[in-house]
Amino acid sequence: MATDSTAYPFTLLDIVNQCDSFPYAPDPKLEQLTFLTFVVDNIPVGRIHNTVVPHITAFNQQSSPIFHITDTTVSFMPWLSDYESRSDAIAQMLKHWRNDVKSFPCLSGWRDELYGVYTHITDPATTKGGAALAIERSACGLFGVHAYGVHMNGFVRTGPKPSDVQLWIARRSMTKPTYPGMLDNMVAGGMGFGHSPQYTIIKESMEEATIPADIAVNAIPVGTISYTKLSKDCTQTQPETQIVYDLELSKDITPVPCDTEVEDFRLWTMEQVLTAIRQGEFKPNCACVCLHFMIRHAVLTPENEPDYLEIVHRLHRRIEYPGPKKWPTFKE
């Protein structure tokens, strides 16, 4: 599928760079970043920018300080040694910060949804569902902890070759707090703590696309993409892993918006999807999920995409922080 990429404002690798924007060694930009390591149980689990540290220090001025702060690390005091005490300490601090919109604009998108933070320790006496603590979703970037989500490609076969496919593409609602009006995968969502990937994909399928559970359950896990985003002001990082699913749909099934998250759906050819990606119309991580699909379906090949090898490598960044060995399902 050869195209003249010079006719578009972005190459496919440009889009991957927008998603996976935290610099790699030996990029000199790394030396300019000023993050402290967030440590739990002596295990690094995230990054906290030095501009956030004074706010932590101020909150710490109480009879029983919560955090131990050094020049390079932020960790819990020893008596905060289990899931409940750590999660409560973070929640109390974030509740206080939530009123300071100027310092913490990300908290204006408060979700009332928790994301689990994992170490290598899974002792049920100190963890819950294998997590050392849980953090409000909108605050994950402040602590640079590893977040997880699911994305599903809904596709229709149009011929016998792997590349003979069309994709259902969603347009995000203009009221979304992030990337309003941009293009998205048919179904996608963050994984709230206590929900498994399959449960999340089935739930999101109904909520976003009115696809019933007896159809969504046929979605096949086909791998992951992973990346680390660096905010434009270089004060937040967000390592993310998206678990990717494919769902083949018959031509008589049409996704329909069910909640307020999606404006509409359209069934597009691979050429249409690639054009929109190169025009910068997709939310970057959703574009990467489409690229992952196109690589697996031989739409993008070493022969027609000059950045093929780099794109393949960059869709699977190694996240340095621990993840769950088994997904907790206590909310299902």
Side-chain angles (χ1 to χ4, degrees):
M1 185 174 293
T3 59
D4 180 10
S5 60
T6 61
Y8 301 101
F10 302 104
T11 67
L12 300 183
L13 186 56
D14 287 336
I15 301 301
V16 175
N17 287 334
Q18 290 177 18
C19 184
D20 186 37
S21 55
F22 192 82
Y24 289 75
D27 190 327
K29 188 175 182 180
L30 275 173
E31 300 297 324
Q32 302 169 18
L33 299 178
T34 52
F35 288 93
L36 281 69
T37 303
F38 183 31
V39 177
V40 178
D41 291 330
N42 296 315
I43 298 168
V45 297
R47 298 181 185 90
I48 299 174
H49 196 258
N50 67 348
T51 56
V52 178
V53 174
H55 297 275
I56 298 176
T57 301
F59 187 79
N60 228 21
Q61 303 305 309
Q62 47 188 293
S63 57
S64 298
I66 293 171
F67 298 98
H68 177 61
I69 304 169
T70 72
D71 290 340
T72 58
T73 65
V74 176
S75 58
F76 290 102
M77 287 295 190
W79 53 84
L80 296 169
S81 58
D82 61 16
Y83 171 89
E84 295 295 341
S85 62
R86 293 164 175 166
S87 300
D88 183 65
I90 291 282
Q92 292 301 317
M93 186 169 66
L94 291 176
K95 183 179 179 180
H96 178 70
W97 287 358
R98 189 179 178 183
N99 298 319
D100 187 355
V101 178
K102 183 177 180 180
S103 298
F104 303 103
C106 63
L107 299 184
S108 63
W110 194 275
R111 304 292 191 96
D112 275 324
E113 182 180 358
L114 296 176
Y115 276 6
V117 180
Y118 300 87
T119 66
H120 297 300
I121 298 171
T122 58
D123 184 348
T126 59
T127 64
K128 180 177 180 179
L133 69 149
I135 293 179
E136 152 65 28
R137 177 176 177 175
S138 64
C140 285
L142 291 172
F143 296 89
V145 295
H146 194 171
Y148 301 87
V150 295
H151 284 242
M152 184 166 76
N153 300 294
F155 73 98
V156 176
R157 293 192 185 275
T158 59
K161 297 187 296 184
S163 58
D164 292 336
V165 287
Q166 294 180 328
L167 276 175
W168 280 107
I169 301 298
R171 185 172 293 280
R172 296 165 66 84
S173 168
M174 292 302 297
T175 62
K176 291 278 286 184
T178 56
Y179 302 97
M182 299 194 76
L183 298 178
D184 205 326
N185 306 119
M186 186 180 76
V187 172
M191 285 180 54
F193 183 49
H195 290 156
S196 67
Q198 185 182 49
Y199 177 91
T200 305
I201 209 70
I202 293 173
K203 177 177 72 73
E204 296 287 344
S205 292
M206 175 53 74
E207 291 178 357
E208 293 188 353
T210 324
I211 295 174
D214 62 336
I215 294 177
V217 74
N218 296 313
I220 299 171
V222 292
T224 66
I225 67 167
S226 54
Y227 48 87
T228 299
K229 294 185 291 186
L230 178 66
S231 63
K232 290 183 179 180
D233 63 2
C234 298
T235 63
Q236 294 186 38
T237 67
Q238 187 60 80
E240 292 188 353
T241 295
Q242 306 296 342
I243 300 174
V244 181
Y245 287 76
D246 282 356
L247 177 64
E248 182 175 354
L249 295 173
S250 63
K251 294 180 180 179
D252 61 346
I253 296 177
T254 300
V256 177
C258 183
D259 58 17
T260 59
E261 304 228 340
V262 177
E263 292 283 343
D264 57 55
F265 293 93
R266 68 285 311 276
L267 184 62
W268 271 0
T269 64
M270 295 295 97
E271 290 87 350
Q272 288 174 301
V273 175
L274 277 170
T275 295
I277 291 174
R278 290 183 170 119
Q279 294 283 11
E281 296 177 20
F282 271 86
K283 182 172 179 274
N285 67 336
C286 301
C288 289
V289 171
C290 291
L291 297 179
H292 183 266
F293 179 90
M294 292 177 181
I295 290 166
R296 291 183 290 105
H297 286 262
V299 176
L300 294 178
T301 69
E303 287 70 38
N304 66 21
E305 172 50 55
D307 294 317
Y308 181 88
L309 287 177
E310 182 69 7
I311 290 170
V312 170
H313 292 158
R314 294 284 300 286
L315 291 178
H316 302 94
R317 184 173 190 139
R318 181 183 180 276
I319 307 298
E320 59 267 56
Y321 306 133
K325 296 292 186 182
K326 181 180 180 182
W327 296 102
T329 59
F330 56 85
K331 285 189 177 182
E332 297 176 14

